[in-house]
Amino acid sequence: MPRSPSYLLPCVAGLACLSLAVLLLYKVDDFAAQTKTVVGHNLQPTPWHLFPPKTFSEESRHSRIYKILHCSYLTCSSYAADTKRHRYEPDSTAHKCPEFFRWIHQDLEPWARTGISAAHLKEARKFAAFRAVIVGGRLFVDLYYACVQSRAAFTIWGLLQLLRRYPGMVPDVDMVFDCMDKPSINRTEHGSLPLPLFRYCTTQSHFDIPFPDWSFWGWPETNLNPWDEEFREIKRGSQRTSWTKKHPRAYWKGNPDVDSPVRTQLLKCNHSRLWGAQIWRQNWGEEAKGGYENSKLSNQCNSRYKIYAEGYAWSARAIAKGGQEFMESLSMNRIYDYMFHLINEYSKLQKFKPVRPSSSLEVCAESLLCLADPKQRKLLERSTAHPSPSPPCSLQPADSDLLKNWVQHRRKTIKDIEDMKLIPYKDIKS
Ligand SMILES: *[C@@H]1O[C@H](CO)[C@@H](O)[C@H](O)[C@H]1NC(C)=O
Ligand SMILES: *[C@@H]1O[C@H](CO)[C@@H](O)[C@H](O)[C@H]1NC(C)=O
């Protein structure tokens, strides 16, 4: 008689369960280690601009694994994206967008005739840190590399807030971003196939498409608040002393060691009596220890003039266009309108229907907040947008002559200044 398998079965079953559990744990571990997050888990720095790898403050490996999996896979499932489409129709009753919005046409001009094809994007991905695809009002993100500090998370938060501000109106798009300052799509080298790559900076010699930078939603590493709060503080700081009581000097504070000739030259002008200028070195390491108290923008308005000196990539274009008036026109509402029109115009150029990439993960406000550390979360929450009661401003048509004039005017101003005979301040002051 064969032995009854009645006691063998539970044994085998038990053993199988145990190995299954071990296997599962191992798989979960493996799965978490392959899940890239917007705050930088499991991502390498961009090879074209290296920076120290991120460290995370979670107490243990176990809690990190839990956080990565929980935030990435379980938070957006109940997220009710507004799937009702309200197609954007230009509204003639809406107020006109500021003139500088016309740069949108100029920035997208390289694709005006050819459109943006899947091949363009495939190639552009090689220069990107992440890809953001919006389909039906939901945001899907494919992460390729880590971004320095929390730039990626805050930029992606900005996109989510745009979706909140104009529910159902943001068209389906497929965009790639890099998040380092230096533009990379050189017009000479990429002339035959211009690559559409979004980043925070560009120059006239590059195809990179400028996009509002992360700090409008806050910059936790430097204690910079969301822009609307920061601007109120700058204004308050500026009004602390009246114009006549302000130092009749030009003030600059920043980092002179960024390979920028103008900043190197500027250091030579550091003499109140001789050149009427005060030049201060921003020491990022020291300031970080002191909580950036001394580099607060709101404490930098005690002189009458503020010097802007181009770093290696930041564009002077915006700053040069009229001080406080320009800043007033840069409320967050305007930033969202700018993003809206940039994305809307870009989407019209797409020659394909954007679809969710199979390798991407959905990102929603909940999942991003879930991954953020407490300091980041505070800023993100404070920069939450609300649905707009009115449609976006109406974008004025392209006017290449107007832009040409601006560029010429700017060139002339710079040339005039370069041609000026340098007269020491002490000889001209009355
Ligand atoms: C763009 O590339 C050309 C050709 O390689 C080079 O001469 C030029 O300096 C580059 N321009 C910039 C702004 O890097
Ligand atoms: C500029 O001059 C002031 C006063 O002499 C000095 O304290 C400051 O360190 C100088 N700045 C730089 C960047 O050397």
Side-chain angles (χ1 to χ4, degrees):
M1 276 279 274
R3 264 213 302 211
S4 157
S6 58
Y7 62 92
L8 210 60
L9 204 60
C11 261
V12 170
L15 210 65
C17 278
L18 192 70
S19 20
L20 211 66
V22 170
L23 191 71
L24 199 68
L25 269 177
Y26 175 76
K27 282 282 170 206
V28 165
D29 221 63
D30 202 39
F31 192 53
Q34 283 170 26
T35 302
K36 301 158 179 167
T37 71
V38 289
V39 295
H41 291 106
N42 305 314
L43 284 166
Q44 297 299 316
T46 45
W48 50 87
H49 189 137
L50 290 170
F51 49 87
K54 306 211 171 189
T55 53
F56 293 93
S57 59
E58 288 105 353
E59 321 72 64
S60 63
R61 205 175 61 116
H62 181 80
S63 65
R64 174 150 68 242
I65 289 174
Y66 174 77
K67 184 172 176 179
I68 291 175
L69 297 180
H70 170 74
C71 302
S72 305
Y73 298 100
L74 301 172
T75 45
C76 294
S77 50
S78 61
Y79 182 67
D82 194 327
T83 42
K84 249 194 288 152
R85 312 290 295 141
H86 312 263
R87 251 189 76 85
Y88 170 69
E89 299 289 348
D91 180 349
S92 55
T93 62
H95 59 94
K96 275 191 198 145
C97 299
E99 290 279 336
F100 75 85
F101 276 45
R102 293 193 204 249
W103 280 104
I104 290 173
H105 305 295
Q106 184 75 8
D107 294 335
L108 296 175
E109 199 277 331
W111 302 277
R113 272 174 302 281
T114 61
I116 294 169
S117 65
H120 277 114
L121 279 171
K122 186 160 175 251
E123 198 57 28
R125 256 172 250 152
K126 297 177 186 162
F127 297 83
F130 64 89
R131 174 182 181 187
V133 180
I134 296 174
V135 179
R138 291 163 70 187
L139 177 63
F140 302 96
V141 176
D142 217 353
L143 300 159
Y144 306 135
Y145 294 107
C147 291
V148 74
Q149 298 181 339
S150 48
R151 290 181 178 196
F154 279 69
T155 301
I156 290 167
W157 180 256
L159 288 170
L160 289 169
Q161 299 317 302
L162 175 69
L163 292 170
R164 251 181 88 90
R165 183 157 171 87
Y166 293 122
M169 283 169 75
V170 181
D172 291 359
V173 283
D174 189 335
M175 305 184 285
V176 288
F177 289 79
D178 183 30
C179 38
M180 303 313 291
D181 300 344
K182 230 174 185 160
S184 58
I185 315 298
N186 179 320
R187 281 190 187 243
T188 316
E189 290 168 1
H190 295 270
S192 54
L193 185 71
L195 303 180
L197 177 69
F198 289 87
R199 81 163 68 241
Y200 314 118
C201 308
T202 194
T203 76
Q204 298 205 329
S205 326
H206 290 91
F207 286 121
D208 303 64
I209 306 168
F211 192 82
D213 80 68
W214 73 96
S215 68
F216 283 108
W217 293 272
W219 187 355
E221 290 83 2
T222 59
N223 281 340
L224 214 61
N225 293 322
W227 173 245
D228 279 340
E229 284 176 38
E230 194 62 40
F231 181 51
R232 272 197 302 275
E233 263 178 61
I234 295 174
K235 244 168 103 174
R236 219 176 295 137
S238 165
Q239 286 160 354
R240 269 200 295 269
T241 26
S242 67
W243 176 261
T244 49
K245 292 226 180 78
K246 280 187 204 289
H247 234 36
R249 297 282 185 271
Y251 178 97
W252 185 83
K253 180 160 186 167
N255 181 0
D257 310 317
V258 291
D259 204 10
S260 149
V262 62
R263 291 191 177 181
T264 312
Q265 289 293 321
L266 199 58
L267 288 177
K268 298 184 190 160
C269 306
N270 186 24
H271 200 294
S272 278
R273 195 171 41 76
L274 222 52
W275 298 109
Q278 292 178 319
I279 310 301
W280 300 93
R281 188 179 279 274
Q282 166 95 320
N283 183 332
W284 284 93
E286 280 300 307
E287 297 282 349
K289 280 186 231 147
Y292 297 91
E293 247 338 281
N294 296 319
S295 48
K296 269 200 172 166
L297 295 174
S298 52
N299 290 338
Q300 295 190 12
C301 298
N302 299 325
S303 299
R304 285 195 195 166
Y305 310 99
K306 191 147 168 45
I307 300 173
Y308 177 80
E310 189 111 336
Y312 65 51
W314 288 99
S315 166
R317 177 199 293 171
I319 313 286
K321 281 213 147 51
Q324 179 156 341
E325 200 179 303
F326 179 76
M327 284 172 71
E328 297 276 9
S329 76
L330 266 191
S331 68
M332 276 319 281
N333 297 349
R334 283 287 158 73
I335 302 295
Y336 289 122
D337 280 10
Y338 190 90
M339 290 163 73
F340 177 81
H341 283 301
L342 178 59
I343 291 175
N344 197 42
E345 295 302 308
Y346 173 94
S347 79
K348 292 181 195 165
L349 297 170
Q350 290 175 148
K351 296 204 297 189
F352 55 91
K353 192 172 153 27
V355 291
R356 170 186 184 165
S358 58
S359 48
S360 70
L361 276 178
E362 179 165 12
V363 178
C364 58
E366 289 77 357
S367 67
L368 213 157
L369 289 172
C370 176
L371 286 162
D373 68 29
K375 188 171 182 187
Q376 295 168 342
R377 197 174 303 138
K378 245 182 23 210
L379 292 177
L380 293 173
E381 280 170 346
R382 266 159 45 201
S383 58
T384 300
H386 301 286
S388 170
S390 48
C393 59
S394 74
L395 183 65
Q396 302 178 66
D399 184 343
S400 54
D401 285 342
L402 181 81
L403 296 193
K404 240 181 253 153
N405 279 342
W406 284 356
V407 172
Q408 265 166 19
H409 182 75
R410 175 168 176 244
R411 242 185 238 136
K412 184 171 178 308
T413 311
I414 293 173
K415 185 157 188 326
D416 285 351
I417 293 172
E418 282 170 353
D419 290 348
M420 267 183 199
K421 219 172 120 228
L422 280 181
I423 306 168
Y425 174 78
K426 66 176 169 50
D427 297 338
I428 49 170
K429 67 181 180 222
S430 45

